[in-house]
């Protein structure tokens, strides 16, 4: 199959084709996901929780992400590979440039940053220096202590309006993808409709341009809890490869996420 690029992901949005993504942390799972036809894989700072057993993502380091990015890249032939920028690794533009260079050298094709319009200068600077950027809005796990827990964002109209404005600002700054997490389904649709770049949802309803799940959640093996927005595809299929294929098929068909996996 053809290698997935950022322009290919944009073409999918423009054609109305859903984008499928999963987190990945090693070569073996990356190879499996790649062979089943996943479009994109994210080396998420979620590894702090699902691999390291931490209570949140904050202890994850750039070195952690780089290590797992190298592993995923070795197992990947065609899927698009994104890497998370960990907590405080992009607190200033020069610091972001240095840490993004580390992740790109490890094998990422794009880096992901959490935060709103305050990141515009950083996003523009990264893109000018040859580093593609995925923005992340809604529930941004690195801000868990500011939010007071893992809570749905954008339920109030003023906050929804602010989120949409920040999404547009990040797009204007040069972001080429947006991950939108834990927001009402109606807001997920509004953001995807307004932006020209692909919007990948996780707990953002079925009308975003694509979906991403943490692989441990999709397999039902997370150590802590199963989020409302996830689905245990392994329990349904009894086989890891079939689980990945069913997830991909359900996203393409618009059957996942259902209302049961979305927020009002």
């Amino acid at each position: 199959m053809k290698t997935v690029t950022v322009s290919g992901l944009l073409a999918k949005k423009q054609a109305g084709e859903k984008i499928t993504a999963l987190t990945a942390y090693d070569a073996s799972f990356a190879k499996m996901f790649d062979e089943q036809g996943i479009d994109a894989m994210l080396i998420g700072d979620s590894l702090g929780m699902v691999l390291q057993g931490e209570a949140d993502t904050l202890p994850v380091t750039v070195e952690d992400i780089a290590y797992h990015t190298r592993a995923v890249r070795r197992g990947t032939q065609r899927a698009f590979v994104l890497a998370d920028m960990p907590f405080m690794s992009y607190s200033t533009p020069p610091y972001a440039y240095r840490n993004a260079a580390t992740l790109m050298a490890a094998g990422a094709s794009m880096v992901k940053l959490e935060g709103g319009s305050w990141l515009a200068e950083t996003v523009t600077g990264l893109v000018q220096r040859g580093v593609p950027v995925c923005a992340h809005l809604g529930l941004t796990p690195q801000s868990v202590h500011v939010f007071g827990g893992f809570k749905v964002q954008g339920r109030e109209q003023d906050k929804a309006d602010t989120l949409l404005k920040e999404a547009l600002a990040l797009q204007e700054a040069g972001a080429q993808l947006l991950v939108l997490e834990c927001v009402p389904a109606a807001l997920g649709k509004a953001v995807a409709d307004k932006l020209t770049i692909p919007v990948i949802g996780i707990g953002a309803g079925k009308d975003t341009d694509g979906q991403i799940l943490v692989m441990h959640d999709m397999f039902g093996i997370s150590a802590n809890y199963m989020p409302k927005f996830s689905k245990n595809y392994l329990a349904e299929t009894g086989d890891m490869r079939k689980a990945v294929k069913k997830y991909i098929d359900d996203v393409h068909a618009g059957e996942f996420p259902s209302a049961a996996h979305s927020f009002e």
Side-chain angles (χ1 to χ4, degrees):
M1 288 184 281
K2 186 177 179 181
T3 300
V4 181
T5 63
V6 69
S7 58
L9 296 176
L10 177 60
K12 279 181 171 287
K13 176 184 174 84
Q14 294 170 340
E17 300 174 8
K18 294 292 187 181
I19 296 164
T20 60
L22 286 167
T23 63
Y25 313 98
D26 65 35
S28 295
F29 278 108
K31 184 173 186 291
M32 180 198 302
F33 299 162
D34 197 55
E35 290 174 346
Q36 295 307 309
I38 205 79
D39 292 317
M41 286 182 273
L42 168 68
I43 299 85
D45 57 5
S46 50
L47 70 86
M49 301 173 75
V50 298
L51 297 186
Q52 298 173 340
E54 301 286 359
D56 52 44
T57 65
L58 274 60
V60 176
T61 66
V62 173
E63 290 72 24
D64 290 335
I65 298 290
Y67 173 89
H68 290 279
T69 298
R70 285 190 291 271
V72 168
R73 174 54 71 187
R74 292 185 191 113
T76 304
Q77 294 296 316
R78 46 159 296 284
F80 193 69
V81 176
L82 303 89
D84 258 339
M85 296 279 283
F87 179 62
M88 292 299 288
S89 67
Y90 48 97
S91 54
T92 66
Y95 198 40
Y97 305 155
R98 183 163 58 250
N99 289 322
T102 297
L103 299 182
M104 295 293 285
S109 296
M110 175 177 275
V111 298
K112 181 170 75 65
L113 294 75
E114 297 182 10
S117 53
W118 66 271
L119 279 172
E121 179 186 354
T122 298
V123 170
T124 299
L126 285 167
V127 173
Q128 288 174 339
R129 288 159 178 79
V131 180
V133 174
C134 174
H136 184 158
L137 289 171
L139 172 58
T140 47
Q142 292 173 16
S143 301
V144 61
H145 296 304
V146 175
F147 295 146
F150 296 97
K151 299 178 180 180
V152 179
Q153 303 296 305
R155 277 185 160 145
E156 300 83 1
Q157 188 60 51
D158 61 331
K159 292 182 179 178
D161 291 343
T162 296
L163 189 150
L164 180 54
K165 289 177 182 177
E166 298 213 317
L168 289 166
L170 290 165
Q171 176 179 264
E172 180 67 23
Q176 292 172 283
L177 287 177
L178 172 69
V179 167
L180 189 57
E181 181 170 355
C182 280
V183 301
L187 179 55
K189 182 180 189 304
V191 174
D193 287 349
K194 193 72 173 177
L195 268 61
T196 57
I197 62 174
V199 177
I200 312 300
I202 177 167
K206 67 181 180 63
D207 294 312
T208 53
D209 302 305
Q211 301 293 327
I212 185 169
L213 287 178
V214 173
M215 58 165 280
H216 291 68
D217 293 341
M218 188 203 66
F219 289 141
I221 57 173
S222 293
N224 297 316
Y225 74 101
M226 176 68 75
K228 170 185 167 68
F229 55 72
S230 192
K231 181 178 179 180
N232 185 345
Y233 275 94
L234 182 58
E236 182 176 339
T237 61
D239 178 90
M240 285 187 170
R241 288 174 176 81
K242 290 179 181 178
V244 176
K245 186 63 166 59
K246 183 71 164 61
Y247 164 66
I248 292 171
D249 290 345
D250 281 1
V251 172
H252 286 164
E255 296 177 3
F256 180 83
S258 67
H261 305 105
S262 304
F263 302 101
E264 295 298 325

